[in-house]
């Protein structure tokens, strides 16, 4: 029941936010708002009931937090729609297609996907068997935009989309990310022992043996290559960071971190020297006010928005977050910071912290190594993605285009993040499930000497992996 | 695996803390810098959404107000008097910025002035939106309306400026063609753009404030400045000056300078006439010779004293500088003596000079702003009449007045008022590359009643008004000036 009441709370917060937007925009309140709020609650309640039915022991905090983030995102996207509508009318231009209704549809689709994953993947350990298949699919999917003509794959200079004209666009990186994390978790679990023990010792660092990591490194380099060529630096950084964290979790070796960071530094330096767009990004980061109306415009406007919002914000619907370009996607945190202030940003960041901390806890509680690595990897990827985009928007780190999980406008991002949520819910269900009723090793039905021989895995088998 | 994963959890906490620290720095410590940055459009939008103060004319006639409306900007700027006051009042456009008084008094009107900030603090506490202060102008609605109608009804392109000589109060500032400022303050960007583009593409330009932002050759009206200098340098109103129809300019290889229509001065058959007659009949040859006798420095000294010094002035609106030119040689000095060559003045400057003569040489600072008040109508500041000093000695100013009364008697054109003595001077200024075949600019400067002046006016009508090359200052600009004077005196002001 805790989950249900938290969902009610989320729905109330989101509906209230919607009411505030309407009031601040001087629009008349109608019962339609209550329908939206009620509809949102019903959709969430259905998800809640299905979770309780198919993953009864799952962490009850995960879905409500995601519902709240998703709802706040929807309200802000709707609010930006209003602003775009007004400015289009003022300019005498055609009113652009509202994004909020589309995002609402995507939310529905994402919830359905969430439930499908929950229903199909009844036990996360089965994913291990598809590790290499998933990796292959992920890499191929990721490579498709590079092979498509620009008209079907390029948006704002980044060639990372698959566009189905007139229908929708997919960002394969969002989905490839999940496949690759599953692959990495499965691979690392199977190679764990070798990875954490073998290797030469240099300057106190135990150097790992490269060949043990072969397939993972091949996959990683392939993926990074594709992403960097497609100018998707944010995703490249995300995948790299997540893989590094997963290798560290699997091996417990700091040496891997040091090597990874050195490698990253070399890569970053090379990218800075080789690509003009990387240099531009870094220069903007170092001095956004050097060209406030040109290259620095986005970041400068984002900072203005945050500064104008101050501690308490202008109030939802009372600021001008639409001045920042891409306010509903990459810069949604700037929009929220302007209208909700430092207080609101802090609340949202804490929601992410709780969400990812619960994810890490799921990993810690998992009864199998694969579950631990997968939950840890997924949770960290959410946190890192949030860090990369929010850090970029607030000028903590250079800006790289990437969506804010659950908040930003975008179907691919929403779908893939709900899939991540489904996997976390699934793992948490199995890790929190009470040890199965004393299935006290019933007296062997067959005399031991007549029993079939068994394969004994190198890693301790999942304690409850009865269905495996 | 559990211990490293726990450390990854700590890393997530560190990332969130870093973000929080940076966001707090941005939203608290740097917030004021970002809010006040000139590139931050939000500040402009906030100002645009505030209840801006009123602009009123004398007698409380509202020229600009902010009406509450139900849209994102909350208040719509309205100009009830439209085109009549468009040039002095200006417009407050989101896209094109403010102009006129809307620009000059923006601090007061928007509520940003230091005197208004204290009030705003209490507004903040009581939860009211900060409001702007009000600006009351010296413009007299009857005078402004009469001057505007006189110009606009005839379709004249030009300007009228009326000043109260004793105080420097500006009673009218008219520039035609004018425009409706309301669409430029529209909350619809499309409407603003459409209106602005139409105005920019119109010819003659309605956006140009011809009273203060354009300079013209003053022609014969400038003879007042020359006469003022002469009367202080050995001349009297009775001094004999040449009555020849044409003189030859020195060192030009025979270039000549003629009276209007090649006539002799004052029908005197070419013999000498008095300085008074020369002014009354606007004889060019006489004033060319007087200027040459006085010499460049003397002429320049008097012009400087009256404000023809190239310097702009702020009278509540920015008036561009009027200038005498370089006067490189004696021929140029002769032409300067009749307000041609490089002499270029604003209609405002001519009204100011006329007001100075009317005020017996005591030069008052003209001003458009009577007072500014807080939203609760308590006075912030009030403009007091301020003398800038004696630009012409009193006896000389009185002599000039008498000469101008004679001039008015010789000025044809309609609109004379029974029992009213007007002191005036006309001008018909040639300009362009083919001056003899280009319709001249018509001037009329005057003050009345001559013995106890209440109003001084300057009228400029570009390119001959409706009379083409036949135009004279008397026929075209004179009636506009007299209509303006009549309105000013009828009001009992």
């Amino acid at each position: 029941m805790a989950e249900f009441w938290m969902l009610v709370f989320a729905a109330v917060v989101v509906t209230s936010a919607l009411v505030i937007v309407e009031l601040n925009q001087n629009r008349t309140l109608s019962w339609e708002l209550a329908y939206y709020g009620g509809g949102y609650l019903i959709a969430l309640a259905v998800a809640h009931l299905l979770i309780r039915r198919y993953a009864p022991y799952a962490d009850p905090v995960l879905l409500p937090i995601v519902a709240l983030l998703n709802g706040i995102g929807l309200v802000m996207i709707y609010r930006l729609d209003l602003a775009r509508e007004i400015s289009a009318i003022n300019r005498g231009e055609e009113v652009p297609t509202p994004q909020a209704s589309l995002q609402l549809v995507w939310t529905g689709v994402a919830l359905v996907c969430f439930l499908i994953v929950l229903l199909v993947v009844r036990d996360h350990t089965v994913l291990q068997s598809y590790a290499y298949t998933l990796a292959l699919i992920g890499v191929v999917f990721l490579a498709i935009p590079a092979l498509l003509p620009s008209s079907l794959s390029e948006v704002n200079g980044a060639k990372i989309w698959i566009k189905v004209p007139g229908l929708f666009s997919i960002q394969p990186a969002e989905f490839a990310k999940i496949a690759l994390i599953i692959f990495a978790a499965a691979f690392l679990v199977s190679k764990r022992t070798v990875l954490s023990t073998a290797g030469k010792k240099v300057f106190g660092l135990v150097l790992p043996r490269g060949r043990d990591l072969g397939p993972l490194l091949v996959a990683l380099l392939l993926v990074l290559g594709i992403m960097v060529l497609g100018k998707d630096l944010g995703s490249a950084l995300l995948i790299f960071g997540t893989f590094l964290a997963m290798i560290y979790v699997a091996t417990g070796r700091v040496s891997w971190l040091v090597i990874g960071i050195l490698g990253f530094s070399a890569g970053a330096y090379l990218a800075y020297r080789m690509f003009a767009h990387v240099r531009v990004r870094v220069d903007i980061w170092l001095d956004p006010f050097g060209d406030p109306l040109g290259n620095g415009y986005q970041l400068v406007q984002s900072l203005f928005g945050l500064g104008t919002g101050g501690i308490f914000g202008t109030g939802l619907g009372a600021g001008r977050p639409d001045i920042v370009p891409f306010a509903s996607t990459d810069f949604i945190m700037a929009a929220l910071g302007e209208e909700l202030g430092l207080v609101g940003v802090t609340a949202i960041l804490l929601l992410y912290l709780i969400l990812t901390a619960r994810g890490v806890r799921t990993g810690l509680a998992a009864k199998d190594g694969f579950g631990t690595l997968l939950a840890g990897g997924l949770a960290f990827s959410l946190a890192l993605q949030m860090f990369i985009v929010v850090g970029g928007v607030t000028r903590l780190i250079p800006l790289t285009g990437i969506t804010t999980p659950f908040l930003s406008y975008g179907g691919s991002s929403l779908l893939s993040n709900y899939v991540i949520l489904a996997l976390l819910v699934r793992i948490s269900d199995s890790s929190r499930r009470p040890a199965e009723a004393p299935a006290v090793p019933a007296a062997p039905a067959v005399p031991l000497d007549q029993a079939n021989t068994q394969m004994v895995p190198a890693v301790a088998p999942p304690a409850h992996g009865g269905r495996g | 695996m559990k211990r490293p994963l726990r450390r990854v959890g700590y890393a997530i906490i560190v990332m969130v803390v870093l973000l929080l620290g940076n966001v707090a720095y941005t939203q608290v410590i740097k917030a004021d810098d970002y809010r006040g940055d000139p590139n931050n459009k939000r500040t402009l939008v906030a100002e645009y959404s505030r209840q801006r103060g009123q602009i009123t004319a004398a007698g409380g006639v509202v020229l600009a107000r902010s009406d509450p409306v139900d849209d994102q900007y909350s208040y719509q700027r309205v100009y009830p008097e439209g085109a009549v006051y468009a040039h002095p009042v200006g417009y407050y456009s989101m896209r094109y910025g403010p102009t006129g008084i809307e620009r000059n008094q923006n601090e007061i009107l928007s509520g940003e002035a230091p005197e208004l900030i204290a009030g705003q603090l209490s507004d903040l506490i009581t939860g009211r939106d900060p409001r702007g202060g009000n600006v009351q102008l010296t413009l007299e609605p009857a005078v402004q309306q009469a001057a505007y109608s006189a110009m606009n009804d005839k379709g004249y392109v030009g300007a009228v400026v009326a000043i109260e000589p004793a105080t420097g109060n500006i009673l009218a500032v008219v520039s035609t063609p004018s425009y409706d400022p309301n669409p430029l303050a529209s909350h619809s960007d499309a409407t603003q753009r459409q209106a602005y583009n139409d105005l920019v593409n119109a010819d003659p330009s309605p956006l140009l404030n011809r009273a203060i932002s354009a300079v013209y050759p003053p022609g014969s009206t400038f003879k007042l400045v020359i006469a003022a200098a002469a009367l202080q340098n050995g001349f009297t109103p009775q001094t004999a000056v040449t009555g020849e129809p044409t003189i030859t300019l020195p060192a030009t290889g025979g270039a000549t300078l003629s009276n209007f229509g090649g006539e002799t001065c004052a029908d005197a058959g070419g013999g000498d006439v008095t300085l008074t007659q020369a002014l009354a009949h606007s004889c060019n040859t006489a004033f060319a010779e007087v200027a040459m006798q006085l010499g460049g420095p003397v002429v320049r000294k008097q012009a400087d004293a009256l404000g023809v010094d190239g310097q702009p002035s702020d009278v509540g609106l920015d008036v561009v500088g009027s200038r005498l030119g370089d006067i490189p040689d004696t021929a140029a000095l002769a032409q300067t003596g009749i307000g041609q060559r490089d002499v270029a003045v604003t209609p405002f400057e001519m009204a100011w000079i006329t007001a100075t003569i009317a005020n017996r040489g005591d030069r008052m600072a003209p001003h458009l702003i009577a007072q500014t008040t807080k939203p609760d109508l308590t006075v912030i500041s009030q403009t007091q009449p301020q003398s800038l000093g004696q630009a012409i000695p009193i006896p000389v100013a009185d002599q000039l007045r008498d000469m101008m009364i004679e001039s008015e008697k010789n000025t044809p054109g309609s609109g004379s008022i029974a029992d009213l003595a007007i002191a005036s001077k006309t001008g018909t200024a040639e300009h362009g590359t083919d001056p003899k075949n280009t319709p001249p600019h018509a001037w009329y400067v005057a003050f009345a009643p001559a013995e106890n002046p209440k109003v001084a006016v300057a009228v400029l009508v570009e390119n001959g008004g409706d009379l083409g090359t036949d135009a004279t200052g008397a026929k075209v600009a004179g009636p506009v000036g007299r209509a303006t004077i009549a309105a000013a005196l009828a009001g009992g002001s």
Side-chain angles (χ1 to χ4, degrees):
Chain A
M1 273 321 264
E3 186 173 62
F4 178 73
W5 289 115
M6 281 190 280
L7 287 172
V8 170
F9 173 75
V12 168
V13 169
V14 170
T15 312
S16 311
L18 196 56
V19 169
I20 293 169
V21 167
E22 298 284 90
L23 287 177
N24 270 329
Q25 290 281 307
N26 291 323
R27 294 163 63 93
T28 43
L29 291 182
S30 64
W31 282 104
E32 219 174 308
L33 295 186
Y35 297 149
Y36 282 131
Y40 194 57
L41 183 58
I42 289 170
L44 294 174
V46 170
H48 159 72
L49 289 175
L50 288 169
I51 290 180
R52 289 307 122 197
R53 171 93 171 74
Y54 294 102
Y57 301 102
D59 185 341
V61 177
L62 297 174
L63 181 67
I65 289 186
V66 165
L68 189 50
L69 288 171
N70 190 175
I72 293 170
L74 276 167
V75 170
M76 182 45 77
I77 292 163
Y78 170 71
R79 185 256 169 282
L80 290 166
D81 276 344
L82 294 181
R84 290 197 310 158
E85 185 187 320
I86 291 168
S87 82
I89 292 172
N90 276 348
R91 289 202 193 120
E93 289 165 6
E94 204 176 320
V95 173
T97 333
Q99 295 183 331
S101 43
L102 216 57
Q103 180 81 343
L104 203 57
V105 172
W106 280 116
T107 303
V109 175
L111 270 172
V112 170
C113 270
F114 167 81
L115 295 172
I116 289 174
V117 171
L118 211 55
L119 289 177
V120 171
V121 186
R122 299 298 278 274
D123 176 359
H124 63 271
T125 51
V126 298
L127 293 173
Q128 271 174 292
S129 348
Y130 302 106
Y132 283 88
T133 318
L134 282 171
L136 187 65
I137 293 173
V139 171
V140 169
F141 198 37
L142 194 62
I144 291 176
L147 306 173
L148 286 175
S150 287
S151 62
L152 294 177
S153 66
E154 193 167 315
V155 176
N156 298 322
K159 201 166 152 56
I160 54 171
W161 295 81
I162 301 173
K163 290 202 268 190
V164 182
L167 284 176
F168 54 86
S169 306
I170 306 172
Q171 218 176 346
E174 295 279 0
F175 300 98
K177 173 181 75 182
I178 303 174
L180 289 163
I181 292 173
I182 295 173
F183 162 72
F187 178 85
L188 287 168
V189 162
S190 67
K191 292 283 167 68
R192 201 162 88 80
T193 335
V194 213
L195 287 171
S196 47
T197 52
K200 289 181 207 160
K201 199 164 180 170
V202 178
F203 298 124
L205 285 175
V206 179
L207 288 185
R209 290 193 314 194
R211 62 185 158 98
D212 297 327
L213 273 181
L216 193 64
L217 283 181
V218 169
L220 182 62
L221 290 177
L222 214 55
V223 166
L224 292 183
I226 295 169
M227 286 176 168
V228 168
L229 289 179
K231 298 189 181 173
D232 191 1
L233 298 171
S235 295
L237 184 57
L238 175 61
I239 284 289
F240 180 80
T242 305
F243 270 39
L244 194 59
M246 289 176 76
I247 294 172
Y248 171 66
V249 171
T251 62
R253 291 272 170 213
V254 178
S255 55
W256 283 107
L257 287 183
V258 175
I259 291 165
I261 289 166
L262 287 177
F264 169 76
S265 308
Y269 177 74
L270 276 179
Y272 182 81
R273 295 301 300 269
M274 284 167 64
F275 302 113
H277 65 276
V278 177
R279 279 196 294 279
V280 169
R281 292 289 172 92
V282 173
D283 292 346
I284 293 171
W285 173 60
L286 291 173
D287 183 18
F289 290 91
D291 188 10
L293 299 177
N295 281 334
Y297 186 77
Q298 277 192 351
L299 187 56
V300 162
Q301 289 302 325
S302 167
L303 293 174
F304 284 166
L306 290 168
T308 308
I311 297 177
F312 297 105
T314 58
L316 271 176
R320 284 301 303 274
D322 54 304
I323 292 176
V324 187
F326 303 107
S328 64
T329 53
D330 296 10
F331 282 84
I332 198 156
M333 271 307 255
L336 290 164
E338 178 174 349
E339 299 210 318
L340 297 177
L342 177 61
V343 176
V345 173
T346 306
I348 291 169
L349 290 180
L350 289 180
L351 285 178
Y352 278 114
L353 181 59
I354 298 170
L355 178 67
T356 49
R358 298 297 282 216
V360 168
R361 238 184 58 164
T362 298
L364 289 174
K367 293 167 184 163
D368 62 314
F370 176 66
T372 300
L373 262 180
L374 184 56
L378 292 173
F380 184 75
S381 80
L382 279 179
L384 186 60
Q385 182 166 354
M386 186 273 293
F387 179 78
I388 291 170
V389 60
V390 179
V393 166
T394 58
R395 205 188 151 219
L396 183 62
I397 56 171
L399 183 67
T400 49
I402 195 170
T403 57
T404 319
F406 301 111
L407 283 175
S408 286
Y409 170 71
S412 301
S413 168
L414 206 57
L415 274 183
S416 71
N417 284 314
Y418 266 97
V419 169
I420 291 176
L421 178 70
L423 294 175
L424 286 176
V425 165
R426 174 49 69 212
I427 301 168
S428 81
D429 174 57
S430 83
S431 63
R432 289 159 63 104
R433 179 168 300 184
E436 276 169 32
V440 181
V446 265
L448 199 59
D449 59 325
Q450 289 173 21
N452 291 334
T453 51
Q454 268 181 295
M455 285 292 288
V456 179
V459 180
H464 72 296
R467 264 171 287 174
Chain B
M1 275 206 293
K2 307 273 153 129
R3 193 192 294 169
L5 181 54
R6 195 163 278 128
R7 291 204 182 117
V8 166
Y10 296 147
I12 293 177
I13 295 175
V14 169
M15 292 195 301
V16 171
V17 167
L18 278 175
L19 287 176
L20 279 176
N22 187 53
V23 172
Y25 172 75
T26 307
Q27 298 204 274
V28 180
I29 295 169
K30 295 291 283 179
D32 280 344
D33 288 356
Y34 291 154
R35 265 182 220 132
D37 194 292
N39 286 321
N40 189 350
K41 272 193 273 178
R42 290 165 186 81
T43 316
L44 186 65
V45 172
E47 193 186 295
Y48 204 65
S49 312
R50 212 173 284 161
Q51 187 174 9
R52 199 171 164 80
Q54 286 194 341
I55 302 174
T56 53
V61 174
V62 175
L63 306 180
R65 62 167 191 263
S66 284
D67 289 349
V69 286
D70 206 12
D71 70 10
Q72 60 168 343
Y73 296 119
S74 308
Y75 293 97
Q76 172 67 57
R77 199 71 170 151
V78 178
Y79 302 97
E81 303 294 325
V84 180
Y85 291 86
H87 283 108
V89 170
Y91 53 80
Y92 186 64
S93 164
M94 180 85 177
R95 175 172 262 272
Y96 302 103
T99 63
I101 285 292
E102 292 275 31
R103 176 195 180 89
N104 190 282
Q105 294 295 303
N106 190 40
E107 278 209 336
I108 295 281
L109 292 166
S110 68
E112 295 291 333
E115 299 89 335
L116 289 164
I117 298 289
Q120 286 185 2
L121 279 181
S122 65
D123 280 348
L124 280 182
I125 293 161
T126 56
R128 283 186 302 155
D129 281 335
R131 285 184 292 162
N134 306 305
V135 175
Q136 190 191 319
L137 305 182
T138 54
L139 295 177
E140 283 289 344
V143 185
Q144 178 81 12
Q145 183 66 57
Y148 179 77
S149 298
M151 294 292 284
N152 194 53
D153 294 352
K154 287 270 199 177
Y156 288 164
V157 176
V160 181
V161 175
I163 298 174
E164 185 174 46
T167 58
N169 285 347
I170 298 170
L171 306 177
V173 178
V174 165
S175 174
T176 53
S178 188
Y179 57 92
D180 181 5
N182 286 298
L184 289 165
S186 166
H187 288 181
S188 154
D189 196 55
T191 309
Q192 281 184 46
R193 228 171 12 187
Q194 177 71 48
Y196 189 78
N197 287 339
D198 288 351
L199 291 172
V200 163
N201 294 328
D203 183 40
S205 170
L207 288 176
L208 175 65
N209 188 339
R210 292 175 168 76
I212 59 167
S213 302
V215 290
Y216 303 87
S220 300
T221 57
F222 200 68
K223 288 170 184 164
L224 293 173
V225 178
I226 303 300
L231 293 170
Q232 293 168 68
N233 290 279
F235 285 79
T236 69
Q238 281 70 46
T239 305
V241 293
T242 181
E244 294 285 336
T246 299
I247 58 168
T248 304
L249 296 177
T252 55
T256 58
L257 185 151
S258 304
N259 286 340
F260 181 76
E263 300 158 358
T264 58
C265 187
D267 303 323
D272 282 358
V273 296
T274 64
L275 188 62
T276 301
Q277 282 176 305
L279 187 85
H281 294 272
S282 203
C283 302
N284 292 337
T285 51
F287 276 88
E289 285 198 348
V290 170
M292 287 190 284
Q293 283 177 50
L294 292 172
V298 172
V299 170
R300 188 176 297 282
K301 186 168 169 241
Q302 182 62 68
D304 277 350
L306 286 165
V308 186
D309 54 4
Q311 299 304 311
S313 30
D314 178 6
V315 298
L317 297 172
D318 293 321
V319 183
V320 302
S322 296
R323 59 181 188 270
L324 197 58
D326 290 339
I327 317 182
D329 51 36
T330 317
L333 179 58
Q335 290 168 304
T336 301
I338 59 168
Q340 296 283 172
R341 184 74 187 214
D342 300 324
V343 189
V345 300
T346 58
F348 188 90
E349 173 61 26
M350 281 320 298
W352 194 351
I353 291 173
T354 310
T356 303
I357 298 169
N359 200 38
R360 306 186 80 188
D362 184 4
R363 189 164 178 254
M364 303 302 290
H367 55 271
L368 191 55
I369 294 145
Q371 64 175 16
T372 52
T373 59
K374 293 183 182 175
D376 64 5
L377 299 181
T378 56
V379 173
I380 299 171
S381 75
Q382 211 158 16
T383 312
Q384 302 299 331
Q386 186 201 350
S387 169
L388 300 175
Q390 202 71 31
I392 306 170
I394 294 174
V396 171
D398 289 349
Q399 288 169 338
L400 277 174
R401 175 197 62 207
D402 295 340
M403 291 161 77
M404 287 171 77
I405 294 172
E406 290 306 308
S407 173
E408 173 72 10
K409 288 177 186 162
N410 282 294
T411 303
S414 63
S416 63
I417 304 154
D419 301 329
L420 178 67
I422 295 178
S424 76
K425 181 74 197 82
T426 58
T428 307
E430 294 178 345
H431 63 102
T433 47
D434 182 13
K436 298 296 172 199
N437 294 311
T438 306
H441 293 324
W443 284 93
Y444 179 76
V445 300
F447 59 87
E451 299 300 330
N452 180 24
K454 297 290 185 197
V455 60
V457 301
V459 178
L460 165 87
V461 179
E462 282 185 14
N463 301 316
D466 52 357
L467 293 183
T469 46
D470 292 337
T472 62
K475 284 187 273 187
V476 175
V480 175
R482 293 194 193 97
T484 307
I485 288 171
L489 300 182
S493 61

